[in-house]
């Protein structure tokens, strides 16, 4: 631009004077002539076209639409209100860097709770949960941080992004980079800005990756610390009841009759749920009848025990001791039981057979003159001190022979005997609903695999015992005196004080286990019972009373580990090694989420420190991102345009009442010009679809 233009451009013009066109410039009054369409708003009578050496205003290359007569091109600059400038004292740049730096450092403190939570996660990792309240508190803390993290991240990082934009603007940058930065003050705006600008570069990638840490940090606060289960394995010893100990009826001086009778009656009358469960009424684990399991033997000799519909060898189970209340425990136990396998010739009969009374054949057994093929039974004598005068037997259990060598004894005495023995046969008869059944009896020695969830135990597999035992055709019922005592106490426990025409709990249980509680009220009709049902129920009755005689108190849940069998060297308990797996609740830190939260939190802190550093270096006013900046250099607002050192918020506070509008500032020309201008209430100036604008 030439010197004449500069001199001419700084002259004052009014509406009544006319100006000539300079060869190098143009009078601003020509902008109001018919040859041009530019019309400034009212109030701008004095205009300053600026100086190309001046740094107060940038030059806008805006060419007016001319008439058909030729006009020279021109580049007017922004007008300046000289009256306002002359009345406003200049001022230096405000010293706000200390305050801005302090704000950034304070924002950095918002990262502290997230570092604290990372410390909690690291500290509590793999530690046991002390209480539910503790885990709930940590979980609640994490939930609150997950909610707060996006806001904290947006506040700190968004503020720093604006600081970076201001710093770049002071030092010079491209408009595209500046738009990329200032349009990326939040996650959503970052995505939209990069999509609209279509500038795939390193800066766009860096901004997207940075803002992607916002949802990742929020999710990390939720996932970093959870409660899991850590198995703790330990081996220990479990004492359990020894079925090879001396039975109570084999000692010759049985004195536990009252407690045994209570144990027996309550076991038979237990609810169906207890009777069909893996544990008895007293919490003892029941041993299945290995011969009545539906599954077959596997390659290792074990037979799996089904969860439902399992037939048990006895109503009474094997007492256990020292069983942990928590975790899963597995172990093996050795046990035995008396097994009955009745013949199919179950017949209906009236009355009892003519048995030989056991009380009269003791000498014959000792002399070896005991007759074979004869059934021997305990026949109550009303004059006996054991049986009352009014006692009447309602059932009878007879046996077809005894073992020589002693009136009392146990089969453990025959463990090294290699002789061949045939099983003895029991004859069971009832008075009411008469039936007769012949059932060979043997001893089953089994090894059971037991699993316990807490104190709830069940046998999961069973196999024949691998230990050395006496011949399985021998049973402890084969000793004459032990058998006589057993039958005597069993009849007293079952049939004493019954009304005429009624049956005992024993008979009712054999007929239908659900009828046992009606003892003394009804009698069963069991003439149609199968040999299999009769055999297993009679077996359960005999085993319950027989093994209960060992020590009724121990069977009721009071297993005394120090109690020993006084008449032999065998203890009432034997030991087995158990494995307990206890799952402790522990805090589990996810290392992936831990480092994700640490990275996101460090990004927040790093952004705050970068913002503080840049705030200290930035000298100019904060004008980016403020709507008031639109008024700073526009010629279409009559308000204050001076004060270039003002921040955006400061200018807004000062000129906040100014009404502005996006409109056509040259509505009378064929081609309009869109700008932010003061809304003075003029009806024209609205934007029109289809109209052309410069």
């Amino acid at each position: 631009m030439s010197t004449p233009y500069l001199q001419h451009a700084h002259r004052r013009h009014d509406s009544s004077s006319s100006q000539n066109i300079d060869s190098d410039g143009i009078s601003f009054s020509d902008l109001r002539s018919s040859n041009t369409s530019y019309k400034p708003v009212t109030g701008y009578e004095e205009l300053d076209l600026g100086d190309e050496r001046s740094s107060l205003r940038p030059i806008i290359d805006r060419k007016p639409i001319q008439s058909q007569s030729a006009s020279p091109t021109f580049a007017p600059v922004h007008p300046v209100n000289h009256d306002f400038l002359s009345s406003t004292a200049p001022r230096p740049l405000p010293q706000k860097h200390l305050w801005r730096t302090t704000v950034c450092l304070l924002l950095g403190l918002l990262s502290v709770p997230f570092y604290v939570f990372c410390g909690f996660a690291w500290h509590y990792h793999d530690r046991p949960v002390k209480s539910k309240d503790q885990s709930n508190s940590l979980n609640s803390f994490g939930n609150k941080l997950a909610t707060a993290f996006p806001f904290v991240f947006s506040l700190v990082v968004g503020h720093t992004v604006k600081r970076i934009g201001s710093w770049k603007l002071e030092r010079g940058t491209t408009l595209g980079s500046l738009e990329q930065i200032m349009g990326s003050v939040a996650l959503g705006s970052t995505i939209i800005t990069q999509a609209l600008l279509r500038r795939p570069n390193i800066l766009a990638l860096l901004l997207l990756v940075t803002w992607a840490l916002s949802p990742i940090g929020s999710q990390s606060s939720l996932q970093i610390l959870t409660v899991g289960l850590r198995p703790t394995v330990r081996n220990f010893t479990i004492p359990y009841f020894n079925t090879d100990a001396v039975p109570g009826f084999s000692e010759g001086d049985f004195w536990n009759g009252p407690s045994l009778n209570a144990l027996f009656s309550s076991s038979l009358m237990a609810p169906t749920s207890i009777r069909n469960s893996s544990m008895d009424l007293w919490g003892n684990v029941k041993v299945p009848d290995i011969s009545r399991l539906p599954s077959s033997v596997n390659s290792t000799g074990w037979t799996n025990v089904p969860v439902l519909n399992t037939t048990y060898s006895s109503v009474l189970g094997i007492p256990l001791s020292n069983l942990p209340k928590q975790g899963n425990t597995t172990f093996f136990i050795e046990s035995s039981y008396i097994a009955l396998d009745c013949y199919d010739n179950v017949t209906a009969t009236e009355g009892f057979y003519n048995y030989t009374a056991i009380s009269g054949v003791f000498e014959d057994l000792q002399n070896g003159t005991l007759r074979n093929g004869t059934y021997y039974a305990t026949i109550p004598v009303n004059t006996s001190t054991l049986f009352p005068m009014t006692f009447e037997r309602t059932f009878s259990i007879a046996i077809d022979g005894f073992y020589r060598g002693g009136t009392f004894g146990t089969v453990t005495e025959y463990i090294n005997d290699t002789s061949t023995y045939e099983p003895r046969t029991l004859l069971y008869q009832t008075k009411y609903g008469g039936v007769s059944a012949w059932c060979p009896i043997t001893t089953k020695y089994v090894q059971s695999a037991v699993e316990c969830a807490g104190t709830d135990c069940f046998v999961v597999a069973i196999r024949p015992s691998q230990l050395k035992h006496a011949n399985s055709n021998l049973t402890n019922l084969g000793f004459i005196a032990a058998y006589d005592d057993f039958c005597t106490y069993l009849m007293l426990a079952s049939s004493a004080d019954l009304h005429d025409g009624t049956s005992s709990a024993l008979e009712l249980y054999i007929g239908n286990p659900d009828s046992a509680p009606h003892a003394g009220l009804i009698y069963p009709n069991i003439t149609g019972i199968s040999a299999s049902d009769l055999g297993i129920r009679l077996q359960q009755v005999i085993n319950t009373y027989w093994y209960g005689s060992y020590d009724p108190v121990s069977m009721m849940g009071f297993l005394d580990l120090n109690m020993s069998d006084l008449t032999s060297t065998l203890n009432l308990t034997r030991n087995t090694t158990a494995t307990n797996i206890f799952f402790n609740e522990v805090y589990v830190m996810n290392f992936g989420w831990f480092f994700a939260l640490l990275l996101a939190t460090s990004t927040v802190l790093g952004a705050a420190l970068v913002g503080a550093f840049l705030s200290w270096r930035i000298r100019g006013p904060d004008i980016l991102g403020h709507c008031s900046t639109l008024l700073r250099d526009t010629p279409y607002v009559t308000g204050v345009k001076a004060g270039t050192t003002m921040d955006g918020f400061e200018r807004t506070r000062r000129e906040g009442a100014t009404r502005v509008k996006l409109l056509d500032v040259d509505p009378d020309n064929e081609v309009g010009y869109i700008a932010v201008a003061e809304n003075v209430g003029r009806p024209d100036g609205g934007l029109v679809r289809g109209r052309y604008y410069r």
Side-chain angles (χ1 to χ4, degrees):
M1 188 177 292
S2 63
T3 303
Y5 168 75
L6 294 175
Q7 295 174 349
H8 184 74
H10 284 83
R11 297 174 186 173
R12 294 175 54 86
H13 302 273
D14 52 37
S15 60
S16 61
S17 64
S18 61
Q19 301 293 334
N20 295 323
I21 300 176
D22 193 290
S23 61
D24 295 323
I26 187 170
S27 167
F28 198 83
S29 62
D30 290 335
L31 297 176
R32 305 174 189 169
S33 68
S34 59
N35 293 334
T36 61
S37 59
Y38 178 82
K39 295 179 181 177
V41 297
T42 305
Y44 284 90
E45 297 301 326
E46 291 192 42
L47 304 175
D48 184 3
L49 294 180
D51 188 344
E52 78 175 349
R53 293 170 299 176
S54 173
S55 61
L56 294 177
R57 301 290 184 183
I59 296 177
I60 297 179
D61 185 11
R62 186 170 63 208
K63 298 180 180 180
I65 301 298
Q66 301 177 358
S67 62
Q68 294 181 357
S69 59
S71 284
T73 59
F74 65 97
V77 296
H78 291 266
V80 178
N81 191 330
H82 289 284
D83 292 338
F84 175 79
L85 291 177
S86 61
S87 61
T88 303
R91 65 176 185 177
L93 290 172
Q95 301 298 316
K96 295 184 178 181
H97 57 281
L98 180 60
W99 164 246
R100 292 171 179 171
T101 302
T102 303
V103 170
C104 291
L105 293 177
L106 292 176
L107 289 177
L109 295 178
L110 295 177
S111 64
V112 172
F114 301 96
Y115 279 119
V116 170
F117 193 55
C118 287
F120 280 160
W122 186 271
H123 173 74
Y124 284 109
H125 175 60
D126 213 28
R127 291 177 180 265
V129 178
K130 292 183 178 179
S131 65
K132 199 68 175 178
D133 291 339
Q134 183 192 54
S135 62
N136 288 339
S137 297
L138 290 173
N139 186 56
S140 177
F141 186 33
N143 290 338
K144 290 180 174 62
L145 292 181
T147 303
F149 189 87
F151 299 98
V152 172
F153 193 92
S154 179
L155 178 63
V156 179
V157 177
H159 182 268
T160 298
V161 167
K162 293 181 64 177
R163 296 285 87 204
I164 293 174
S166 298
W167 181 76
K168 293 283 288 182
L169 181 61
E170 271 195 17
R171 280 149 183 79
T173 184
T174 64
L175 179 62
S177 297
L178 188 62
E179 191 67 49
Q180 276 186 295
I181 294 172
M182 295 308 299
S184 302
V185 294
L187 175 60
S189 65
T190 301
I191 297 174
I192 294 174
T193 298
Q194 309 313 317
L196 294 179
L197 288 178
R198 297 191 292 275
R199 289 171 57 92
N201 51 26
I202 299 299
L203 178 59
L205 180 62
L206 180 61
L207 290 169
L208 288 172
V209 170
T210 299
W211 282 106
L213 293 175
S214 178
I216 292 176
S218 177
Q219 192 63 217
S220 299
S221 300
L222 293 175
Q223 307 293 340
I224 184 174
L225 192 63
T226 57
V227 175
L229 297 177
R230 181 184 63 188
T232 301
V233 181
R234 66 187 182 98
N235 295 324
F236 61 101
T237 299
I238 287 184
Y240 65 97
F241 199 80
N242 182 15
T243 56
D244 285 339
V246 177
F249 292 116
S250 298
E251 295 179 348
D253 186 18
F254 185 70
W255 45 270
N256 279 331
S259 57
L260 174 60
N261 294 341
L263 173 69
F264 176 71
S265 298
S266 57
S267 297
L268 293 187
M269 298 181 185
T272 304
S273 59
I274 296 296
R275 198 171 58 247
N276 295 331
S277 70
S278 62
M279 303 184 74
D280 65 16
L281 191 62
W282 317 103
N284 306 318
V285 60
K286 292 192 290 189
V287 178
D289 189 320
I290 191 172
S291 62
R292 288 178 167 84
L293 292 176
S295 55
S296 58
V297 179
N298 60 27
S299 59
T300 60
W302 289 93
T303 301
N304 293 326
V305 178
V307 177
L308 300 175
N309 302 321
T310 301
T311 301
Y312 294 99
S313 61
S314 174
V315 181
L316 198 62
I318 303 297
L320 307 171
S321 184
N322 198 29
L323 194 65
K325 295 182 179 180
Q326 294 180 322
N328 296 328
T329 307
T330 56
F331 53 92
F332 299 96
I333 60 173
E334 296 280 343
S335 63
S336 62
Y337 60 88
I338 297 172
L340 274 69
D341 186 15
C342 298
Y343 297 128
D344 291 333
N345 59 341
V346 177
T347 58
T349 57
E350 295 183 4
F352 300 112
Y353 288 174
N354 292 324
Y355 307 120
T356 301
I358 294 178
S359 58
V361 297
F362 277 86
E363 293 184 3
D364 294 340
L365 179 64
Q366 297 297 328
N367 297 332
T369 59
L370 196 66
R371 292 176 297 171
N372 294 326
T374 300
Y375 283 90
Y376 303 92
T378 298
I379 301 177
V381 179
N382 297 109
T383 57
S384 170
T385 56
L386 289 175
F387 295 97
M389 296 295 294
T390 58
F391 181 83
E392 182 179 0
R393 60 176 175 165
T394 57
F395 69 91
S396 178
I397 302 177
I399 192 170
D400 65 350
F402 300 101
Y403 311 135
R404 296 182 58 184
T407 56
F408 293 101
T410 65
V411 294
T412 56
E413 300 171 8
Y414 292 78
I415 192 170
N416 295 318
D417 190 344
T418 59
S419 302
T420 301
Y421 294 92
E422 293 296 326
R424 299 299 184 187
T425 301
L426 293 182
L427 172 58
Y428 171 75
Q429 289 186 302
T430 59
K431 179 179 180 180
Y432 301 109
V435 69
S436 297
W438 290 263
C439 306
I441 59 172
T442 57
T443 300
K444 295 288 187 182
Y445 300 95
V446 294
Q447 183 183 30
S448 302
V450 182
E451 288 187 4
C452 299
T455 57
D456 186 11
C457 301
F458 49 94
V459 174
V460 295
I462 193 171
R463 69 175 178 177
S465 176
Q466 306 299 296
L467 303 179
K468 184 178 181 180
H469 297 282
N471 192 311
S472 60
N473 288 336
L474 299 175
T475 72
N476 286 324
L477 291 178
F479 297 92
I480 186 170
Y483 184 82
D484 187 37
D485 283 352
F486 169 76
C487 291
T488 298
Y489 280 93
L490 182 60
M491 283 190 290
L492 284 172
S494 304
S495 301
D497 300 325
L498 288 177
H499 291 288
D500 188 31
T502 62
S503 296
S504 64
L506 180 152
E507 299 161 79
L508 293 173
Y509 183 89
I510 293 175
N512 182 0
D514 293 331
S515 301
H518 299 284
L521 300 175
I522 60 174
Y523 71 89
N525 184 357
I526 59 174
T527 54
I529 192 172
S530 67
S532 176
D533 289 343
L534 189 148
I536 186 58
R537 294 169 187 172
L538 180 59
Q539 171 185 312
Q540 291 173 341
V541 167
I542 292 176
N543 282 314
T544 299
Y545 203 73
W546 179 261
Y547 287 104
S549 71
Y550 284 52
D551 182 34
V553 176
S554 296
M555 293 294 178
M556 294 182 188
F558 301 97
L559 182 61
D560 189 353
L561 303 183
N562 297 318
M563 182 182 293
S564 61
D565 192 342
L566 300 179
T567 61
S568 68
T569 58
L570 291 175
N571 292 328
L572 286 175
T573 61
R574 62 196 310 173
N575 296 329
T576 184
T577 300
T579 300
N580 176 256
I581 302 177
F582 176 63
F583 291 89
N584 294 298
E585 281 193 337
V586 295
Y587 294 107
V588 179
M589 183 186 69
N590 187 297
F591 283 90
W593 289 115
F594 171 79
F595 288 112
L597 180 58
L598 199 61
L599 175 61
T601 304
S602 299
T603 301
V604 172
L605 180 60
L609 296 177
V610 169
F613 173 76
L614 296 181
S615 296
W616 187 264
R617 301 294 300 275
I618 293 173
R619 297 182 178 87
D622 185 13
I623 62 174
L624 292 178
H626 298 281
C627 293
S628 61
T629 304
L630 296 173
L631 309 182
R632 189 174 184 273
D633 300 309
T634 179
Y636 305 111
V637 178
T638 59
V640 177
K641 296 183 291 296
T644 59
T645 61
M646 286 191 293
D647 287 342
F649 287 124
E650 184 179 359
R651 186 178 298 276
T652 299
R653 288 193 297 269
R654 185 167 181 173
E655 304 180 23
T658 302
R659 297 181 62 84
V660 294
K661 184 177 181 180
L662 183 68
L663 47 77
D664 184 356
V665 297
D666 196 5
D668 297 333
N669 202 334
E670 294 180 359
V671 179
Y673 192 88
I674 300 174
V676 176
E678 184 174 7
N679 185 11
V680 295
R682 292 178 54 182
D684 55 349
L687 303 182
V688 180
R689 294 184 184 275
R691 176 174 166 80
Y692 286 86
Y693 299 92
R694 284 176 291 172

